[in-house]
Amino acid sequence: MSNSNCRETQQMNIFLDNVKLGSQTGPNHFGAKLHKYLLKQGHTIRTTGAGRSDQDKLPDVQLSFIERNTKLNSEIPLVQRLDGIYFDPTNDYKLQNENIFKTYEAADGIVFQSEFSKNLVFEHFGEHKNYTIIHNGADLELINSIEPAKPATMNGKYDSLWCCASHWRPFKRLEENIRYFLEFSSANDLLIVCGSALYPANLIEHERIIYTGDVGVPTLLSIFKAADYFVHLGRYDNCPNVVIDARAGGCEIICASVGGTREVAGKGATIVLEEQWEYNPEPVNKHRPLDFTKIIKNKQDSDIDMNRVTEKYSDFLTNTIKGL
């Protein structure tokens, strides 16, 4: 199989392990995109729980998200896709990491979501002999098919539309997102906050802030396409899909410096600097306010097109098979 650049792709039978295609959580959301684009490239895909008959061909490779959920024939190459690992000393993080580490040791290859992810894992698990870094990607085909949202609040009259979205937990720093918006927005700007908060006290009431709760992917993408800015000041994120999708929707990204977010925020994104983290264990839910006087523009760029992201996966899987 080849594309317009005459790139040769080996068609594979891939077992996509530990992925729930109907789920909207970060890994599963990306898993669904990867599943779609691997099929478009001509690969055969089987997922966890899909079942198989005796006539089904054994996969050429197993790609396990985070940790191996199903153990197949030991001769089948295993590739692990890793974002982050546990490191909070208030929990038994070594126990939480146990199966992730076992998968890491058994894997023939590792896909890290970001340089940040690689550095974190190498610090705690040690280096792996065969790895690559592949940032997450955006389904531009889907995004281009969706119309921008038209918020009815303020009679549709506002200067700029801001948004943020997450499964809100303390280290996602919703309060800092809101504080940044209130400090840097104009009097006629509007902020839409998507996703439910585990800590309702974080939901600061304000006439220019709308809380939508959880919304489906099409609705979220329509908001991204309407918005001017996407604020994501969370700490520790390895490669957040919402940032990539918001950037693909046309948003200017505002993020914090600790984590992998800045790697995919795009050239010219606003980066709020904080003290560098050396990947040592620390409580993830400790309140860490940001200093908004320490701001730089991002110089790093990245390709977020899911077509090319999937090509990188295909190439690494193929090379890992060939290298054994």
Side-chain angles (χ1 to χ4, degrees), residues 188-209:
N188 291 319
D189 288 359
L190 181 67
L191 172 65
I192 298 179
V193 180
C194 301
S196 297
L198 295 179
Y199 301 87
N202 296 354
L203 304 183
I204 299 168
E205 295 295 330
H206 195 279
E207 60 182 4
R208 293 192 290 115
I209 300 176

Side-chain angles (χ1 to χ4, degrees), residues 21-91:
L21 296 179
S23 171
Q24 292 188 31
T25 61
N28 292 308
H29 177 57
F30 176 78
K33 288 188 281 188
L34 185 61
H35 180 271
K36 172 183 174 179
Y37 280 84
L38 285 170
L39 288 175
K40 285 167 69 74
Q41 288 190 1
H43 302 293
T44 302
I45 312 295
R46 182 165 66 88
T47 58
T48 304
R52 63 182 296 269
S53 70
D54 293 337
Q55 287 74 39
D56 284 343
K57 176 184 167 186
L58 283 174
D60 298 308
V61 64
Q62 174 171 339
L63 176 58
S64 293
F65 276 42
I66 304 175
E67 57 188 328
R68 181 165 57 184
N69 186 57
T70 304
K71 190 171 184 179
L72 300 178
N73 189 315
S74 60
E75 295 181 0
I76 296 171
L78 171 64
V79 173
Q80 181 184 30
R81 177 188 179 268
L82 262 180
D83 42 15
I85 56 175
Y86 297 99
F87 50 82
D88 188 337
T90 63
N91 298 310

